[in-house]
Amino acid sequence: TFDLLNKLNAINKIRITHEFLNLKFEELTLAFEYIRKKQEEREELRRQRELHREELRLAKEIEEKRAEIEKEQLHYKNVIRRLEEQIAIETNMERLKVLKQRMNEINVNLLDLDKAMKDINYREANQRAGYVYIISNIGAFGENIYKIGMTRRLEPLDRIDELSGASVPFRFDVHALIF
């Protein structure tokens, strides 16, 4: 364009200088860099919003799971209290043995719930931790094509099920799931 404009205006003795051309190049470079920086800022804001949404989702999921575990713990403690009352007044040895066995089963369940609550507390304290998954879908993408992703969900298979939704004709195969 520089050469063409100079040829067309040679008759009128009008010429665009190389200095002006260089300034135009610099202006275009700066405009391009400005647009690119704005795009990077938008992408960073989008990434931060997505991260915030994911943190809120995880916090809600943790709270729901904690409430569920606390409800189960309360239920088992009430059952233990009733069993203790029955054991205190029971005179039949066979029935007493059954009640004590039931009490042991419930105590095992309570220990499992305590472990689950510790896991929930750990996940809450380490919200940046999550599961890395490696999945594939031979029917949709062919062999030797893998998706490696990360989810912070309490149940990582929920994310994989979400990916196996309507967008692909077959369910994903899980090759690895690492916390």
Side-chain angles (χ1 to χ4, degrees):
T1 305
F2 170 78
D3 290 335
L4 181 63
L5 286 174
N6 280 340
K7 281 182 187 176
L8 288 174
N9 288 311
I11 299 169
N12 300 327
K13 297 187 181 177
I14 299 173
R15 181 156 183 80
I16 298 174
T17 65
H18 282 283
E19 182 183 358
F20 181 78
L21 177 66
N22 291 335
L23 288 173
K24 269 301 184 188
F25 278 137
E26 189 176 332
E27 177 187 11
L28 290 172
T29 302
L30 291 173
F32 171 75
E33 287 178 13
Y34 175 76
I35 291 170
R36 191 182 56 165
K37 284 289 184 191
K38 292 287 278 185
Q39 179 67 26
E40 287 173 5
E41 288 174 5
R42 278 195 299 270
E43 297 218 2
E44 178 63 21
L45 284 173
R46 184 195 56 76
R47 191 189 63 74
Q48 287 176 355
R49 281 193 306 270
E50 179 63 32
L51 187 60
H52 181 68
R53 277 194 301 270
E54 189 173 320
E55 288 171 356
L56 290 176
R57 194 178 322 127
L58 178 63
K60 182 181 176 196
E61 195 174 333
I62 286 173
E63 196 54 43
E64 288 172 355
K65 191 72 169 177
R66 177 177 282 124
E68 179 184 317
I69 290 172
E70 287 172 350
K71 183 179 175 184
E72 277 189 70
Q73 285 177 325
L74 182 62
H75 169 70
Y76 282 135
K77 287 177 182 177
N78 288 336
V79 171
I80 286 176
R81 189 175 34 79
R82 282 191 299 250
L83 284 173
E84 287 172 344
E85 291 171 0
Q86 288 177 350
I87 288 173
I89 61 171
E90 188 61 53
T91 56
N92 183 340
M93 287 306 216
E94 194 63 37
R95 177 85 175 125
L96 191 61
K97 184 179 175 183
V98 170
L99 289 174
K100 285 185 179 182
Q101 183 180 3
R102 178 77 176 124
M103 176 86 84
N104 288 338
E105 291 171 4
I106 291 174
N107 281 328
V108 167
N109 289 343
L110 270 174
L111 288 175
D112 290 343
L113 289 176
D114 285 340
K115 183 184 178 305
M117 187 61 84
K118 286 178 185 173
D119 289 345
I120 292 292
N121 291 336
Y122 175 78
R123 288 299 302 275
E124 185 175 39
N126 298 293
Q127 289 188 4
R128 304 285 296 170
Y131 290 90
V132 173
Y133 57 85
I134 301 172
I135 58 178
S136 69
N137 194 325
I138 293 173
F141 304 114
E143 291 186 37
N144 299 324
I145 303 293
Y146 298 93
K147 175 176 177 22
I148 301 172
M150 198 276 263
T151 182
R152 291 186 177 92
R153 294 190 183 175
L154 292 177
E155 298 297 331
L157 292 176
D158 290 349
R159 173 66 179 146
I160 295 167
D161 290 341
E162 190 177 88
L163 292 170
S164 295
S167 61
V168 290
F170 306 103
R171 298 186 58 72
F172 280 94
D173 298 320
V174 179
H175 297 284
L177 194 60
I178 305 158
F179 182 71

